[in-house]
Amino acid sequence: MKKHNFSAGPCILPEEVLQKASEAIINFNDDDLSLVEISHRSTSFVNVIENARSLALELLGLENKGYTALFLQGGASNQFLMTAYNLLNKKAAYLNTGTWSSKAIKEAKLFGEIVTVASSEDKNFNYIPKNYSIPTDADYFHCTSNNTIYGTQMKSFPETEVPLICDMSSDIFSRELDFSKFDLIYAGAQKNMGPAGTTLVIVKNDILGKVERIIPSMLNYQTFIDKDSMFNTPPVFAVYTSMLTLEWLKKLGGIPFIEKVNEQKSALLYAEIDRNQLFTGSATIEDRSHMNATFTITSSIASEALKNKFDTLWKQANINGLDGHRSIGGYRASMYNALPLYSVQALVDVMQELERTS
Ligand code: PLP
């Protein structure tokens, strides 16, 4: 039996996607060639990347609205740099909600003045700041929709005149939003889409071409738009697997369907965290993430023995990847789109067993 995989990524993929992807490694499209052996310029692969790009826009409700979907390389981390390179003339505004936002800010500072409109660092990023204003002369506002490490998630986004840029690496395709409010969205594939190696970028075409600097070809969105995401050899396996996951999601009923499942999963787990005296949730309740639930053993009763017992129980229950991020410790249950509800039930059962036997 496959493990209940609560890992924060990479990566959790639906069984049927893994099956099809592994078959394609041996024999793609019955051509007696592997997916990774064929030319990326072949009709077979061009169809794959075109399908993946249009599925991404379709699922987000952004078809025919002036956006382009690109599959790039360099991870979401390269987008910290690329967004600023392409869009920052003088000044940009950033919301600092954790490690990934901080890294985005660090890169952007190479290109201009950065105004950090608010930060939740004072409480180790366990909440989302709400009261801030965005300078109207900023070239854009950047935020991180879901903070993978801390288990917080933005439930609403500011109304602003300036272009809105969002790192959605760990909650893309997981919930309904008005995606047309965003001017640029990026997400590493390796949480809700596919293996590491490609990054989805959704860019509104008319925000480009406004900076004065010369942008190197490989860091210029326009290069990839002009070449249909094929300026250089794309990571064919990561793109193909992402396409399969997007097809899977569409077949299930798209974002409206998966959002309901994600809400059921997170409601089940948070109810147990709040009911069971042995555990304490780490993030502020109103900002809790539906994707990454962070919690600890309640500090007043925590002991090495209790922790060891819990760790033994969840490992025995075939659960994987529950340790918190190395920078904050505790536990983190990541419940990406492909994690079934019964896996969350398996974790809740273990939490209750710990309570019964302690
Ligand atoms: N942004 C968020 C929200 C993340 O969770 C991560 C990685 O987990 C990153 C950015 C960095 O992504 P990558 O490793 O693809 O550069």
Side-chain angles (χ1 to χ4, degrees):
M1 183 199 160
K2 249 196 123 211
K3 288 198 168 170
H4 303 291
N5 192 1
F6 287 90
S7 167
C11 177
I12 168 146
L13 294 174
E15 223 21 82
E16 66 176 71
V17 167
L18 290 174
Q19 193 62 44
K20 281 190 197 158
S22 60
E23 282 160 16
I25 288 290
I26 304 297
N27 184 359
F28 182 57
N29 274 359
D30 287 328
D31 273 351
D32 290 328
L33 284 172
S34 164
L35 168 71
V36 298
E37 293 173 324
I38 62 168
S39 164
H40 61 287
R41 307 260 173 221
S42 64
T43 312
S44 303
F45 186 74
V46 171
N47 287 343
V48 166
I49 197 161
E50 285 310 309
N51 191 21
R53 293 172 67 202
S54 68
L55 274 168
L57 290 178
E58 183 187 337
L59 287 162
L60 299 172
L62 292 178
E63 283 167 308
N64 305 319
K65 290 195 175 153
Y67 289 83
T68 304
L70 302 169
F71 282 94
L72 305 184
Q73 298 180 64
S77 299
N78 198 46
Q79 293 309 307
F80 302 157
L81 168 76
M82 222 167 140
T83 43
Y85 220 139
N86 284 260
L87 301 168
L88 174 49
N89 248 329
K90 291 203 164 57
K91 177 157 114 180
Y94 279 68
L95 180 64
N96 187 5
T97 51
T99 299
W100 303 116
S101 311
S102 307
K103 289 191 175 184
I105 289 169
K106 177 170 178 247
E107 296 304 306
K109 279 185 175 164
L110 299 170
F111 299 95
E113 182 194 347
I114 299 305
V115 179
T116 302
V117 293
S119 165
S120 47
E121 195 168 8
D122 57 334
K123 294 195 175 153
N124 199 22
F125 299 114
N126 75 351
Y127 71 103
I128 303 284
K130 311 278 182 324
N131 298 317
Y132 52 85
S133 59
I134 298 168
T136 50
D137 60 346
D139 294 321
Y140 60 83
F141 170 69
H142 178 285
C143 59
T144 311
S145 56
N146 185 71
N147 299 283
T148 328
I149 296 175
Y150 311 91
T152 60
Q153 188 172 34
M154 293 178 75
K155 300 292 152 72
S156 62
F157 294 84
E159 296 295 330
T160 171
E161 296 296 301
V162 310
L164 187 53
I165 296 183
C166 190
D167 174 0
M168 292 196 190
S169 291
S170 52
D171 68 352
I172 187 112
F173 301 119
S174 73
R175 58 170 168 163
E176 287 197 88
L177 289 174
D178 178 0
F179 293 99
S180 69
K181 280 192 164 171
F182 298 90
D183 297 85
L184 191 146
I185 296 167
Y186 60 89
Q190 64 270 19
K191 319 285 190 202
N192 266 338
M193 241 182 328
T198 193
T199 308
L200 176 64
V201 174
I202 308 278
V203 57
K204 198 168 192 179
N205 304 330
D206 65 12
I207 63 165
L208 299 176
K210 296 185 180 159
V211 290
E212 284 147 22
R213 72 180 64 84
I214 292 171
I215 308 170
S217 310
M218 276 298 285
L219 296 173
N220 192 334
Y221 291 120
Q222 199 59 52
T223 308
F224 293 91
I225 293 175
D226 293 344
K227 299 285 181 189
D228 293 327
S229 223
M230 294 265 251
F231 173 65
N232 70 326
T233 315
V236 293
F237 183 69
V239 172
Y240 177 65
T241 310
S242 298
M243 181 204 80
L244 293 176
T245 310
L246 298 177
E247 282 181 339
W248 166 84
L249 181 57
K250 183 178 170 183
K251 206 168 62 187
L252 281 181
I255 296 178
F257 173 87
I258 209 74
E259 178 177 43
K260 289 200 182 70
V261 181
N262 289 333
E263 280 171 2
Q264 274 179 297
K265 290 186 298 190
S266 58
L268 178 62
L269 181 56
Y270 284 125
E272 181 59 21
I273 291 172
D274 292 340
R275 186 206 62 78
N276 191 326
Q277 309 264 314
L278 300 186
F279 297 100
T280 304
S282 306
T284 300
I285 290 181
E286 63 176 0
D287 299 323
R288 280 173 165 175
S289 164
H290 295 301
M291 294 280 100
N292 315 93
T294 48
F295 57 98
T296 57
I297 292 187
T298 302
S299 57
S300 55
I301 50 165
S303 67
E304 250 336 88
L306 192 58
K307 183 182 177 327
N308 289 341
K309 187 168 171 191
F310 182 50
D311 291 350
T312 306
L313 284 177
W314 59 260
K315 283 173 193 162
Q316 277 171 354
N318 219 17
I319 286 172
N320 174 62
L322 208 62
D323 290 317
H325 189 268
R326 60 189 181 281
S327 62
I328 64 163
Y331 295 98
R332 172 174 52 170
S334 299
M335 299 171 282
Y336 297 121
N337 284 355
L339 185 86
L341 181 63
Y342 63 76
S343 290
V344 181
Q345 187 60 56
L347 172 58
V348 167
D349 290 346
V350 166
M351 294 164 86
Q352 295 181 351
E353 189 179 345
L354 186 71
E355 182 187 40
R356 260 195 322 275
T357 57
S358 296

